[in-house]
Amino acid sequence: MSDNFKSQFFQHVDASVTQYIAELGEAVAIPSVSADLQTHLKDIIQMEEWTKSYIERLGGSAELLPNPKGVDDNGNELPPILLAEFKAADNSESKKTVCCYAHLDVQPAAKEDGWDSDPFVLTEKDDKLYGRGSTDDKGPALSWLWVIQAHRKLGVDLPVNVKLMFEGMEESGSEGMFEAIQILSKEGKFLSDVDFFCISDNYWLGASKPCLTYGLRGLAYFSCSVQCCEQDLHSGVLGGTVHEAMTDLVQLMASLIDSSGKILVPGIMDDVAEVTPEEDALYETIDFNCESYKKENKVASVSNKLMYENEKDLLMARWRYPTLSLHGIEGAFSGTGAKTVIPAKAIGKFSLRLVPDQDPKRIEKCVSDHLNKVFASLGSPNKMNVILLHGAKAWLSDPNHPNFAAAARATEKVYGLLPDYTREGGSIPITTAFEEATQMNVCLLPVGACDDMAHSQNEKYNKKNLVNGVKVLGLYLHELGELKGPRPSDCRCVELTPEELMEPGAFMRGFKCKCFM
């Protein structure tokens, strides 16, 4: 990559900011809320067709793949999946291919929820762009198109082939995506020649320093229901005469975790890997401050206390150890005012965030065994049921992989410093799905800041993050184009041994590829 291209590219991006904001505003105005398909399926499809038309205007090929799952559990039609491709003009067959994933659906939002402005009108204030989907994930999704557009306008060929896979159900479980990935990974299909994957659907650790993410926790989300009768009862008339479901449920929920954050379910910690010296060293240079963290998460003005006051311990608790959180109780009275009711059925919702080596199925057994034992000890005649609603394994990649190295060099050329290497406490199951189906490396390259308030009121995307994000993603393609060696997707053979992986350049041969040893 020449300095001349970098200079021209940066100048083009800086001169195009007004256009970018206007186009992001068009996208934000489409309320593509996947949580309500009956109302918003047409909006999701409109968003996908809007993006498809944009791609085709840039000279790319695009199609809307019918959702392999067809309908959701309630019989609602599921939106299609947008597939697109931009081939390099010269030597496309020999150039590597990157697939960029993003989603075009958004979380529900309404001004009465506490927004300062209409969530579906992009509003600029203090160099921040407020609107639902601005940072999650329409801004990053459009950034790939702006990168392609810049190459077209500058007359510069793409250094790699670029494929896009944009979905419309990410905020509601990515229904149909996992089936699509399996189908499209077969020989000769859309994903079979992809060498690298890149996802920009997470956020920096802080508000000012960029990062690359190489690990995500998994998830085991449960419901625990207790039923005592067929319908709600009057507590004045019948209180004291029945075994109340809520009383049982509260004791069951309290048996899962204590106030210090210790998980009380036997067996949960059995498969948690020990911290290696190499992993421990990665935490030493991370830019993180506990006091800032309290303020960013609105803790300072209330308890002003975290589980850990040491930065490393806090980050490890957040990233690489399992946690258990209680989310709420369905069926209980939760409105304003007073209602003297005995709920007929109360359903507790809780989840565990899992780490590498933990299997959701084994966690399900541990939780079920524990709750059944506690319920038996209560001596209650009520009916209790535990269900694992969602399960996903943790994801852990190698931050030394060439895909990450390319992203790090691109970040350094834009920001003037190397990114932090972070893990995240949340889950992005699609990451594991791509890696397991194709055996190619996935890099999480966030462009948004930690305080973007994704999923919350007043979601925003900083203008400087928008601009620098386009620059980073553009240079990332060029860094990938400069990687030497064969295409990783040409080989899906025997994995390298740990000793072979230590040889210089081993990862240059792909994702644990042995063909060229």
Side-chain angles (χ1 to χ4, degrees):
M1 175 175 50
S2 68
D3 289 337
N4 184 49
F5 167 76
K6 176 185 169 184
S7 175
Q8 287 184 323
F9 176 58
F10 282 12
Q11 289 176 18
H12 171 84
V13 173
D14 290 336
S16 302
V17 175
T18 301
Q19 172 212 323
Y20 296 162
I21 293 174
E23 291 175 347
L24 180 57
E26 290 182 40
V28 166
I30 302 172
S32 48
V33 178
S34 57
D36 182 2
L37 289 177
Q38 288 189 341
T39 303
H40 292 291
L41 174 63
K42 66 181 187 301
D43 298 312
I44 299 172
I45 294 175
Q46 180 188 353
M47 185 67 230
E48 292 179 330
E49 289 177 339
W50 184 95
T51 309
K52 179 176 180 287
S53 296
Y54 199 129
I55 290 166
E56 290 171 339
R57 290 197 300 273
L58 292 175
S61 61
E63 67 168 310
L64 291 175
L65 176 75
N67 195 298
K69 194 173 177 183
V71 298
D72 66 11
D73 293 339
N74 296 315
N76 297 307
E77 179 187 349
L78 290 168
I81 297 164
L82 176 59
L83 306 178
E85 183 173 13
F86 295 92
K87 286 188 175 181
D90 296 328
N91 303 314
S92 64
E93 295 301 318
S94 62
K95 288 183 176 179
K96 296 178 175 65
T97 298
V98 61
C99 180
C100 310
Y101 163 86
H103 65 90
L104 301 174
D105 63 314
V106 297
Q107 285 277 322
K111 191 165 189 301
E112 52 267 29
D113 292 339
W115 284 71
D116 294 334
S117 57
D118 187 332
F120 295 106
V121 175
L122 191 68
T123 303
E124 183 175 348
K125 181 180 179 182
D126 299 329
D127 288 329
K128 297 177 176 62
L129 305 169
Y130 292 91
R132 176 59 88 219
S134 57
T135 190
D136 183 23
D137 188 33
K138 291 181 178 180
L142 293 184
S143 294
W144 292 112
L145 304 187
W146 295 329
V147 166
I148 301 294
Q149 184 182 65
H151 282 78
R152 298 288 192 256
K153 290 191 173 183
L154 294 173
V156 177
D157 192 18
L158 292 173
V160 291
N161 303 306
V162 178
K163 292 190 174 186
L164 305 176
M165 192 170 186
F166 291 176
E167 68 161 310
M169 285 297 293
E170 192 274 343
E171 300 291 8
S172 298
S174 291
E175 291 200 63
M177 266 296 289
F178 302 100
E179 293 86 346
I181 290 172
Q182 289 298 320
I183 294 168
L184 297 174
S185 297
K186 297 183 184 301
E187 187 174 353
K189 298 294 186 180
F190 183 76
L191 296 176
S192 64
D193 62 347
V194 171
D195 302 296
F196 308 101
F197 287 88
C198 185
I199 300 175
S200 294
D201 189 25
N202 65 310
Y203 303 91
W204 294 351
L205 179 61
S208 58
K209 187 178 181 183
C211 68
L212 301 178
T213 303
Y214 67 95
L216 297 165
R217 290 194 295 191
L219 176 70
Y221 195 109
F222 292 89
S223 72
C224 176
S225 66
V226 180
Q227 183 173 2
C228 63
C229 54
E230 294 181 358
Q231 65 183 43
D232 291 350
L233 305 175
H234 190 300
S235 68
V237 176
L238 295 168
T241 67
V242 298
H243 294 268
E244 297 188 17
M246 183 70 78
T247 304
D248 291 345
L249 181 62
V250 168
Q251 293 183 76
L252 290 171
M253 297 283 274
S255 76
L256 297 168
I257 188 168
D258 67 18
S259 296
S260 71
K262 180 182 178 181
I263 299 173
L264 303 177
V265 180
I268 293 296
M269 303 298 292
D270 290 354
D271 296 325
V272 178
E274 295 292 328
V275 179
T276 65
E278 293 79 11
E279 180 190 350
D280 189 77
L282 289 173
Y283 289 83
E284 296 295 339
T285 58
I286 291 176
D287 182 14
F288 182 75
N289 180 271
C290 286
E291 292 303 316
S292 298
Y293 186 76
K294 290 179 191 176
K295 294 176 182 177
E296 290 163 3
N297 293 284
K298 315 300 182 186
V299 173
S301 61
V302 184
S303 68
N304 197 35
K305 188 173 179 62
L306 301 169
M307 289 290 192
Y308 304 91
E309 297 300 328
N310 172 278
E311 279 80 2
K312 183 187 292 187
D313 290 340
L314 188 69
L315 288 176
M316 285 193 176
R318 179 180 172 185
W319 293 346
R320 66 98 56 219
Y321 287 113
T323 56
L324 191 153
S325 298
L326 308 179
H327 302 306
I329 296 177
E330 177 185 343
F333 172 63
S334 60
T336 57
K339 183 180 181 182
T340 55
V341 63
I342 297 172
K345 185 177 183 179
I347 306 171
K349 305 288 182 69
F350 64 95
S351 72
L352 290 96
R353 294 291 176 166
L354 311 182
V355 297
D357 299 329
Q358 287 187 308
D359 187 329
K361 287 297 182 184
R362 186 178 182 281
I363 297 300
E364 178 184 17
K365 185 177 187 309
C366 291
V367 170
S368 181
D369 288 350
H370 169 76
L371 288 176
N372 277 299
K373 182 178 179 180
V374 173
F375 187 68
S377 73
L378 299 179
S380 172
N382 294 329
K383 295 180 179 179
M384 191 272 287
N385 190 32
V386 184
I387 300 174
L388 174 65
L389 298 176
H390 304 293
K393 291 183 178 180
W395 169 75
L396 187 65
S397 190
D398 187 329
N400 296 311
H401 192 280
N403 196 13
F404 280 83
R409 288 192 295 271
T411 301
E412 184 178 20
K413 288 177 180 177
V414 173
Y415 287 95
L417 76 169
L418 285 169
D420 283 334
Y421 288 87
T422 67
R423 292 164 70 166
E424 267 200 15
S427 306
I428 307 178
I430 213 75
T431 306
T432 304
F434 279 129
E435 258 189 19
E436 289 185 347
T438 67
Q439 296 302 297
M440 297 297 108
N441 181 266
V442 179
C443 175
L444 294 187
L445 175 49
V447 293
C450 71
D451 59 355
D452 278 354
M453 305 305 289
H455 291 207
S456 188
Q457 297 93 339
N458 300 319
E459 175 185 343
K460 56 85 177 170
Y461 196 22
N462 297 330
K463 278 179 65 175
K464 66 179 180 181
N465 285 78
L466 181 152
V467 172
N468 288 332
V470 176
K471 293 177 180 178
V472 168
L473 297 181
L475 296 193
Y476 164 70
L477 297 185
H478 283 263
E479 293 295 341
L480 286 181
E482 293 182 4
L483 293 178
K484 305 302 181 183
R487 298 185 57 172
S489 62
D490 286 341
C491 167
R492 300 175 189 277
C493 65
V494 181
E495 292 187 358
L496 300 181
T497 65
E499 292 75 21
E500 289 168 336
L501 285 172
M502 296 304 294
E503 292 186 16
F507 273 105
M508 294 300 288
R509 289 183 284 275
F511 188 77
K512 301 185 178 180
C513 168
K514 205 166 202 170
C515 280
F516 299 91
M517 290 298 293

